[in-house]
């Protein structure tokens, strides 16, 4: 069963039951603290969801602890997290100033844990035979707010391209993917035209591009890999003089895939980590098993020495963020890890 299929199945169950229900906790389970009501509550990014879902499945089998995983998007998840409604927050971008303020007002301290890297992938319909690469400026011309109901054909973006209708597919406004893409391409988070097909479900975006010859969309690298026989990734160039680079594990690791390479995170409530043994056990398992599971669901794991640094950060329960609440794009792996040490 592919992870995309599993994710769709989970969404269906979520709509009916509002949670993923596991077996009742065992009385003699140390992770649950012998508490029949032990539960780990998680919400947030749909991008990070496949990783966390894979970890939670293994954890529930091993410990019989009840885990729920929601997909409200990074922004929607932080609203719940900063109200103290969840223990763990999936995030496809760092926490923002307004979210930090909300957490502070509610007395919520958090531990920021980078767990993987992703390459936001720009894709087109496979029947598109004219686009060989695209620049950041051309993407901005497509996606900037002023393009709404104005830039409607490919030729308007680049005169060398045909007068074919341009159909855009992208992340919903509560998504960290939307925040990151607009910051990286347009220059300001959430600054985007509104006349495009938006969805928190990446599979909807994949299907949109597959079914429209003039389609262009963006989503995480894992969804491209899962559907690369049906869609085509577009190499990205920083400007007209720069070489265009395809997303890949290598181009993310060496820092050449810019500006759409990004870190993925989980945030853990410090209170939950200290007071709920099941949460501590879940995050221990997450960081222990993450590398293999991240590769399984087609994301890019941190190098072993860097994951060890994250594990040490978690063991010390160090609170706060290495980003200061500011949107940031193009950060490299080695620079990211320096911030949590």
């Amino acid at each position: 069963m592919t992870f995309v299929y599993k994710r769709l199945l989970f969404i269906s169950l979520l709509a009916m039951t509002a949670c993923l229900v596991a077996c009742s906790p065992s009385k003699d389970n140390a992770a649950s603290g012998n508490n029949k009501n032990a539960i780990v509550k998680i919400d947030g990014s749909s991008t990070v969801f496949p990783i966390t879902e894979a970890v939670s499945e293994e954890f529930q089998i091993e410990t019989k602890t009840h885990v729920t995983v929601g997909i409200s998007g990074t922004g929607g998840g932080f609203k719940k997290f900063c109200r103290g409604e969840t223990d763990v927050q999936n995030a496809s971008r760092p926490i923002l100033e307004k979210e930090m303020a909300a957490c502070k007002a509610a007395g919520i301290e958090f531990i920021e844990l980078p767990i993987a890297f992703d390459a936001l992938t720009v894709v087109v319909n496979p029947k598109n035979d004219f686009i060989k690469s695209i620049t950041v400026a051309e993407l901005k011309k497509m996606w900037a707010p002023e393009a709404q109901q104005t830039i409607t054909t490919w030729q308007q973006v680049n005169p060398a391209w045909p007068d074919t209708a341009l159909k855009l597919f992208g992340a919903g406004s509560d998504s960290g993917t939307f925040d990151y893409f607009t910051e990286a391409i347009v220059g300001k988070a959430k600054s985007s035209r509104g006349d495009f097909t938006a969805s928190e479900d990446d599979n909807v975006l994949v299907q949109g591009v597959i079914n429209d010859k003039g389609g262009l969309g963006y989503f995480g690298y894992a969804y491209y890999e899962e559907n690369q026989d049906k869609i085509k990734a577009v190499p990205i160039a920083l400007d007209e003089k720069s070489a265009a680079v395809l997303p890949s594990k290598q181009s993310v690791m060496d820092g050449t895939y810019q500006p759409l390479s990004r870190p993925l995170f989980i945030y853990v409530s410090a209170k939950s980590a200290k007071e709920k043994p099941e949460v501590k056990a879940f995050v221990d398992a997450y960081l222990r098993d993450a590398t293999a599971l991240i590769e399984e669901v087609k994301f890019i794991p941190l190098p072993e020495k860097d994951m060890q640094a994250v594990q040490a950060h978690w063991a010390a329960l160090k609170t706060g963020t290495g980003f200061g609440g500011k949107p940031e794009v193009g950060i490299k792996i080695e620079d990211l890890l320096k911030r949590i040490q």
Side-chain angles (χ1 to χ4, degrees):
M1 181 184 294
T2 66
F3 82 88
V4 170
Y5 178 80
K6 286 163 65 181
R7 180 169 179 267
L8 289 174
L9 178 61
F10 177 82
I11 292 169
S12 298
L13 293 172
L14 186 66
M16 293 184 291
T17 67
C19 68
L20 179 63
V21 179
C23 299
S24 298
S26 170
K27 289 184 178 181
D28 59 0
N29 182 357
S32 68
N34 295 328
N35 180 357
K36 290 183 179 181
N37 297 318
I39 183 172
V40 180
K41 297 180 180 180
I42 308 167
D43 209 311
S45 168
S46 61
T47 300
V48 183
F49 169 85
I51 304 172
T52 301
E53 184 219 22
V55 175
S56 68
E57 285 182 350
E58 296 290 333
F59 184 74
Q60 289 180 111
I61 292 169
E62 291 176 2
T63 69
K64 304 299 187 290
T65 299
H66 184 183
V67 180
T68 64
V69 188
I71 47 171
S72 299
T74 298
F78 268 124
K79 290 174 184 177
K80 296 180 181 181
F81 183 78
C82 292
R83 291 196 297 259
E85 296 175 8
T86 55
D87 304 301
V88 180
Q89 158 73 0
N90 292 330
S92 59
R93 58 154 173 80
I95 190 169
L96 301 178
E97 279 184 334
K98 64 180 182 179
E99 293 159 347
M100 292 168 64
C103 278
K104 184 176 180 180
I108 304 296
E109 292 187 297
F110 55 83
I111 302 158
E112 179 182 75
L113 300 172
I115 48 94
F117 264 75
D118 185 23
L120 281 187
T121 303
V122 175
V123 301
V124 294
N125 186 284
K127 293 181 181 178
N128 183 323
D129 57 2
F130 59 85
I131 186 167
K132 308 303 180 185
S133 65
I134 196 165
T135 66
V136 171
E138 288 166 339
L139 284 171
K140 181 177 181 179
K141 192 170 184 178
M142 290 179 180
W143 287 96
E146 56 269 25
Q148 183 162 327
Q149 297 181 347
T150 300
I151 303 298
T152 58
T153 71
W154 285 88
Q155 192 173 69
Q156 289 174 295
V157 179
N158 185 326
W161 294 339
D163 191 25
T164 301
L166 175 65
K167 301 293 184 180
L168 297 174
F169 302 85
S173 60
D174 253 351
S175 168
T177 297
F178 176 77
D179 293 347
Y180 195 92
F181 182 85
T182 50
E183 179 72 29
I185 298 303
V186 182
K188 182 180 179 182
K190 296 190 181 299
S191 179
S192 173
R193 66 190 299 168
D195 56 342
F196 68 97
T197 299
S199 179
E200 306 291 348
D201 182 356
D202 296 322
N203 194 60
V204 170
L205 309 180
V206 170
Q207 292 301 317
V209 175
I210 289 172
N211 293 325
D212 198 308
K213 187 177 179 180
L216 177 143
Y218 67 88
F219 35 77
Y221 183 70
Y223 288 89
Y224 162 66
E225 275 223 337
E226 188 76 14
N227 296 278
Q228 60 182 303
D229 58 331
K230 304 171 187 173
I231 50 180
K232 183 168 68 173
V234 182
I236 307 296
L238 286 171
D239 53 46
E240 292 182 354
K241 297 180 180 179
S242 301
V245 179
L246 276 168
S248 69
K249 180 178 179 179
Q250 183 59 41
S251 63
V252 170
M253 296 291 282
D254 65 20
T256 58
Y257 187 68
Q258 295 294 345
L260 295 179
S261 175
R262 60 172 179 168
L264 304 176
F265 304 86
I266 59 171
Y267 287 76
V268 186
S269 162
K271 182 178 179 181
S272 295
K274 293 172 182 176
E275 298 180 4
K276 298 178 67 174
E278 62 272 20
V279 173
K280 177 68 164 57
F282 175 79
V283 180
D284 285 345
Y286 203 120
L287 300 183
R288 181 193 68 221
D289 301 334
T291 298
L293 292 172
I294 286 165
E295 289 180 330
E296 181 181 318
V297 295
K298 310 302 183 185
F299 288 96
I300 300 161
L302 300 179
E304 184 178 353
K305 64 180 179 62
D306 294 333
M307 181 54 76
Q308 289 173 353
V310 175
Q311 290 168 337
H313 183 79
W314 164 244
L317 298 181
K318 293 182 180 178
T319 58
T321 174
F323 291 83
K326 301 289 186 181
E328 187 172 346
V329 299
I331 185 170
K332 296 182 179 180
I333 289 176
E334 61 268 25
D335 296 330
L336 172 64
L337 272 296
K338 288 176 184 177
R339 299 184 180 189
I340 68 166
Q341 295 175 0

